Amino acid sequence: MASKLKICFFLFPLFLLQCYPLMANSSLFRKTYIVHMNYHQKPESFNTHHEWYSFNLNSLSSETLSSSESSSSSSSSSPSLLYSYSEAYSGYAATLTASEAEALRKNDAVFGVYEDTVYTLHTTRTPEFLGLDVAGEGLTAGDHLDASDVIVGVLDTGIWPESKSFDDTGMPPVPKRWKGVCESGPEFPRSACNNKLIGARSFSHGYKMASGGVMNSDDVVSPRDTDGHGTHTASTVAGGHVANASLLGYASGTARGMAPRARVAAYKVCFKTGCFGSDILGGIDKAISDGVDVLSLSLGGGSAPYFRDTIAIGAFSAIEKGIFVSCSAGNSGPTRASLANTAPWIMTVGAGTLDRNFPAFAVLGNGKKFTGVSLYSGKGMGRTTRSLYYGGNGRRNGSSNLCMPGSLDSSLVKGKVVLCDRGVNARVEKGEVVKEAGGVGMILANTAASGEELVADSHLLPAVAVGMKMGDEIREYVRSAGNKATAVLSFGGTVLNVRPSPVVAAFSSRGPNMVTPQIMKPDVIGPGVNILAAWSEIAGPTGLEKDTRKTQFNIMSGTSMSCPHISGLAALLKAAHPEWSPSAIKSALMTTAYNHDNMLKPLRDATDGSLSNPWAHGAGHVDPHKALNPGLVYDISIDDYVTFLCALDYTPLHRQIIAKRPNITCSRKLADPGDLNYPSFSVLFGKSRTIRYTRELTNVGAARTLYQVHVDAPPTVGVKVRPSRLLFRSVGEKKKYTVIFIARKGKTAPTTKSAFGSLLWTSKTYQVRSPVSFTWSPAM
């Protein structure tokens, strides 16, 4: 009998390590592979591509297998077809051994065979903050913008259909063009869907294969959401009005999604171990054929070439069918170049704060009072001070300072407030560790990695989160006071009209775009910190196993939360302008975004309070009102995206994988990837000091409107725009302009090797703004 090893996965959102048994020689055992077929090479003898894919898979004979495999009991089963893709991808997903995968690679009809990839989730007040009418259906009171014909597909952890956010009272019948279904399964009957939640599917083959068939006890193979994340994002996109919504009393008010009349279709592709590429492709594939108008994906992995990026490939197919695709940028900030989902046909969304906060206070024995945040909702500590313990003893060493599981000595902690450093394990898990060790409270102090950013959590014990500077003061107090250090914690509820806001969240992933540096990312930011939305009633608000509290709404933070805000706004724009392409909707949201806070000062970064830049906030924070009537848009056709692919250093096969077109000749190609008609500019000065880009604007505003260009650039760069004035005589008219960026001779490049500016077209009514980033290569 072969010896057993274990394969381990980190579980979202608590980063608990789950291990599954795996035989010693894993090469003999089956894994999920995605097989890319030459779609246009299907023999006429097969009626469908599915038949062809099945034949291709079954053609694997025992001769292709090694003698060791053929004699292994674990390889006795045949390859299994998991998914046959028809819309999002040209090919299928199957369980294969390494030798079978290699055999398929030698097949002339097979372009490539790739091992499945795991992606992760990027985990009330927002309508008012965005200027939407809370009681109405659209952007402002009385506009009656009806998005009931718009269908939003949400790829996530599933949905809790009983949530009041998905009540279909007053909703008209389901659009006749809808082809989706409501899949029944464990704890999810077909009757769970209605005229609001019009479709629900589950995709778990990749997950089950990766877990070796040993599923997490909380996971259900049906559209039922046992995690909460999917319900939260779906209700943020298009949840209906729910009065008296709150998380255990916090953020009380009327909850509604961005597009409360839009329809929701839930595609469960994520489980406790993550989201597998084969399942994601399956979800996108069905969403396209079902007939969604908007796709919202609050998930992603690292950056990779587009031909190896499952989400980018699936999104390209969606865009080709006129579907707007919005994805989260990732939660790896403030690290430079940490973005996910950077393809230009995807709307890449970062996160900012709201003007709402949940203050909490820590008063030390020396009389100093520190203000932080918390969503703790229990009895509290009262006014009695308690001893304050810090495992790092002011030196941040060991693991007890991080309050990792098993790191705290209960004899030292019992009855005390514990100071914990933020990082490594989940914030709410630290509180659980303190409580289990006998602590009565926690101060969660940021380190340099999180800076001054504060994220509120619904802890299991009294807890206050503070920034790095306050944290350093408290650490120093414990070091100097020793055993005499004391603290008492208290909580201030919900506070509105916080200034400044928005502020760019420190966790929001940053540019530049390392896949295609000539395309600036992220595109925009939206509300993503302390967002209240619907929740799965089977999961506690922290997601911890020992959290038995139940709530219909929860408050979460992440680009997972900002992404569905933009998806919902896209649904509203789709309802208002059904003729607009996905790129026109993206352009409207980008060129009308604002770059100032509610104090009319430039946007700042929560990491350290410094000024933000377009690598953090993209074009700026979305402004739905202005996006509804942007004046001009930068439109991009699917052929333009193919031309963009021709400008990349890709092989013909790579381009065909993405575009699913045979014989892409690239007879028309861009001189530079940055010449794509994108609403922003990313200028790279390398061998050449002069960069020339051409853009085309389409008039979606009033006829006979004259625009004048205004340029903001650093002194090291000269900018010429020709022409500098554009007169649009009719609606729908298109006009081109050329902008020339020149790295000035005699001017030294900035020591940071990067700088930022903007290009603005203005009329008496409209302002159409594009951010510009400048980067100098080391050679200069």
Side-chain angles (χ1 to χ4, degrees):
M1 180 177 178
S3 61
K4 292 187 177 181
L5 301 176
K6 288 185 177 180
I7 184 169
C8 300
F9 299 92
F10 283 104
L11 307 189
F12 184 90
L14 301 177
F15 305 103
L16 304 177
L17 195 63
Q18 177 71 48
C19 299
Y20 301 105
L22 187 68
M23 298 301 291
N25 190 349
S26 61
S27 65
L28 302 183
F29 288 79
R30 299 191 180 281
K31 300 178 182 178
T32 301
Y33 288 84
I34 297 175
V35 182
H36 182 230
M37 300 288 290
N38 187 337
Y39 184 86
H40 304 277
Q41 198 172 314
K42 179 182 75 67
E44 293 182 0
S45 58
F46 296 101
N47 294 323
T48 65
H49 280 82
H50 175 77
E51 289 182 5
W52 181 40
Y53 297 158
S54 297
F55 176 83
N56 175 265
L57 183 63
N58 293 332
S59 67
L60 292 170
S61 67
S62 59
E63 296 177 1
T64 66
L65 306 179
S66 66
S67 59
S68 62
E69 279 194 29
S70 59
S71 62
S72 170
S73 61
S74 63
S75 299
S76 59
S77 62
S78 301
S80 176
L81 184 67
L82 301 180
Y83 296 108
S84 179
Y85 305 119
S86 60
E87 301 285 352
Y89 196 80
S90 299
Y92 60 89
T95 61
L96 303 170
T97 64
S99 294
E100 290 169 343
E102 188 58 34
L104 280 176
R105 292 188 179 100
K106 297 176 182 178
N107 189 314
D108 292 339
V110 175
F111 279 156
V113 181
Y114 312 104
E115 193 170 338
D116 207 358
T117 303
V118 64
Y119 295 79
T120 58
L121 295 164
H122 292 149
T123 213
T124 65
R125 177 63 178 170
T126 48
E128 298 103 311
F129 185 69
L130 291 171
L132 305 181
D133 175 36
V134 180
E137 313 298 343
L139 296 176
T140 57
D143 68 6
H144 302 300
L145 182 58
D146 187 358
S148 62
D149 196 46
V150 180
I151 303 167
V152 182
V154 181
L155 273 69
D156 214 292
T157 63
I159 200 159
W160 190 263
E162 294 83 5
S163 170
K164 295 179 182 178
S165 294
F166 309 119
D167 187 339
D168 67 347
T169 301
M171 292 291 293
V174 176
K176 293 182 179 180
R177 62 186 174 85
W178 176 243
K179 299 177 182 179
V181 299
C182 192
E183 290 183 357
S184 62
E187 303 179 30
F188 202 96
R190 283 192 177 90
S191 59
C193 294
N194 55 28
N195 286 341
K196 176 65 176 178
L197 175 61
I198 65 173
R201 297 180 185 266
S202 178
F203 303 84
S204 60
H205 294 315
Y207 158 63
K208 287 189 287 188
M209 191 64 198
S211 64
V214 184
M215 295 178 56
N216 188 286
S217 59
D218 291 337
D219 282 329
V220 177
V221 183
S222 78
R224 170 70 62 183
D225 181 14
T226 59
D227 179 276
H229 191 277
T231 302
H232 198 282
T233 56
S235 63
T236 300
V237 173
H241 298 80
V242 181
N244 301 315
S246 73
L247 167 61
L248 304 175
Y250 283 99
S252 180
T254 297
R256 58 153 276 190
M258 297 300 97
R261 294 276 290 175
R263 317 292 181 140
V264 175
Y267 299 85
K268 184 174 180 177
V269 299
C270 297
F271 296 83
K272 294 292 184 181
T273 53
C275 321
F276 290 86
S278 57
D279 297 332
I280 294 170
L281 270 180
I284 296 176
D285 197 69
K286 284 300 183 183
I288 294 173
S289 60
D290 286 348
V292 304
D293 301 296
V294 176
L295 271 176
S296 186
L297 293 86
S298 291
L299 50 92
S303 60
Y306 304 133
F307 59 86
R308 293 301 306 273
D309 186 335
T310 300
I311 295 175
I313 295 170
F316 192 97
S317 298
I319 294 293
E320 190 168 18
K321 297 296 177 66
I323 301 169
F324 181 92
V325 182
S326 175
C327 295
S328 48
N331 296 341
S332 299
T335 303
R336 182 181 182 273
S338 53
L339 291 165
N341 301 316
T342 59
W345 47 88
I346 291 174
M347 185 74 161
T348 310
V349 186
T353 64
L354 290 176
D355 63 344
R356 178 181 64 196
N357 210 348
F358 308 101
F361 313 97
V363 179
L364 306 184
N366 60 7
K368 287 191 175 181
K369 183 177 183 179
F370 297 92
T371 300
V373 297
S374 182
L375 292 170
Y376 174 72
S377 58
K379 295 181 180 180
M381 291 179 57
R383 298 182 180 181
T384 304
T385 60
R386 301 296 186 103
S387 295
L388 178 60
Y389 173 83
Y390 179 46
N393 195 25
R395 296 188 297 273
R396 302 186 197 174
N397 55 2
S399 62
S400 59
N401 63 304
L402 291 166
C403 300
M404 299 283 287
S407 67
L408 296 179
D409 185 341
S410 60
S411 65
L412 300 175
V413 170
K414 187 175 182 180
K416 298 179 181 179
V417 175
V418 180
L419 175 63
C420 301
D421 290 342
R422 181 175 170 181
V424 184
N425 61 328
R427 300 182 302 271
V428 291
E429 184 183 60
K430 295 176 187 290
E432 181 183 40
V433 169
V434 172
K435 184 177 181 180
E436 289 184 344
V440 296
M442 177 180 70
I443 299 175
L444 180 60
N446 285 1
T447 61
S450 301
E452 299 307 312
E453 176 188 56
L454 297 180
V455 179
D457 296 297
S458 183
H459 290 281
L460 294 175
L461 82 172
V464 177
V466 298
M468 182 187 68
K469 294 178 182 177
M470 291 184 182
D472 284 343
E473 283 193 56
I474 299 172
R475 293 181 188 101
E476 176 59 26
Y477 165 70
V478 177
R479 186 196 64 79
S480 60
N483 293 333
K484 296 182 179 180
T486 61
V488 62
L489 311 180
S490 59
F491 306 91
T494 304
V495 174
L496 303 179
N497 301 312
V498 173
R499 297 157 71 93
S501 59
V503 175
V504 179
F507 62 73
S508 188
S509 289
R510 310 303 166 93
N513 177 355
M514 300 305 289
V515 181
T516 312
Q518 298 90 343
I519 301 295
M520 184 192 294
K521 291 284 181 170
D523 292 315
V524 293
I525 61 171
V529 179
N530 298 332
I531 305 301
L532 179 76
W535 192 246
S536 169
E537 293 184 46
I538 201 172
T542 63
L544 294 166
E545 185 176 346
K546 294 184 178 180
D547 188 355
T548 59
R549 296 172 297 175
K550 304 303 177 188
T551 178
Q552 295 180 353
F553 288 83
N554 198 7
I555 293 174
M556 297 183 72
S557 298
T559 54
S560 278
M561 282 65 252
S562 55
C563 168
H565 280 88
I566 275 58
S567 305
L569 296 180
L572 288 180
L573 293 185
K574 182 75 173 178
H577 303 284
E579 75 283 3
W580 281 8
S581 68
S583 60
I585 293 174
K586 176 197 278 192
S587 175
L589 289 165
M590 289 178 65
T591 61
T592 59
Y594 57 86
N595 287 263
H596 57 80
D597 58 32
N598 55 2
M599 298 174 69
L600 300 181
K601 294 182 179 180
L603 290 176
R604 292 193 171 272
D605 192 325
T607 307
D608 55 8
S610 63
L611 292 178
S612 179
N613 64 57
W615 284 350
H617 61 244
H621 193 285
V622 289
D623 185 331
H625 291 282
K626 290 184 178 179
L628 189 64
N629 187 18
L632 304 172
V633 295
Y634 293 87
D635 210 352
I636 306 175
S637 69
I638 199 68
D639 289 336
D640 292 332
Y641 285 125
V642 173
T643 303
F644 164 80
L645 294 176
C646 288
L648 302 179
D649 188 23
Y650 286 0
T651 67
L653 174 58
H654 293 157
R655 292 191 289 268
Q656 188 167 341
I657 289 174
I658 301 167
K660 292 169 284 296
R661 296 184 179 188
N663 306 318
I664 300 175
T665 61
C666 291
S667 57
R668 184 174 72 94
K669 63 182 294 185
L670 305 176
D672 181 291
D675 220 12
L676 181 69
N677 199 41
Y678 212 69
S680 60
F681 296 86
S682 179
V683 180
L684 311 181
F685 292 119
K687 295 180 180 179
S688 175
R689 289 180 171 270
T690 302
I691 304 295
R692 182 191 304 264
Y693 288 143
T694 298
R695 293 288 193 268
E696 182 179 73
L697 287 163
T698 301
N699 182 28
V700 295
R704 298 200 59 80
T705 301
L706 178 66
Y707 288 85
Q708 177 73 44
V709 74
H710 304 271
V711 176
D712 175 33
T716 50
V717 180
V719 182
K720 298 178 181 178
V721 182
R722 297 172 180 166
S724 60
R725 303 173 72 188
L726 295 173
L727 175 61
F728 292 88
R729 292 181 171 82
S730 60
V731 177
E733 184 179 2
K734 300 177 183 289
K735 284 189 176 294
K736 293 183 178 180
Y737 70 91
T738 298
V739 55
I740 304 170
F741 302 100
I742 305 167
R744 289 176 170 166
K745 293 182 179 180
K747 295 280 187 178
T748 58
T751 56
T752 59
K753 297 296 182 182
S754 63
F756 304 92
S758 63
L759 188 150
L760 178 69
W761 289 98
T762 64
S763 71
K764 292 182 179 179
T765 305
Y766 305 106
Q767 291 190 335
V768 184
R769 183 182 180 278
S770 295
V772 185
S773 65
F774 302 96
T775 305
W776 287 259
S777 70
M780 296 189 68

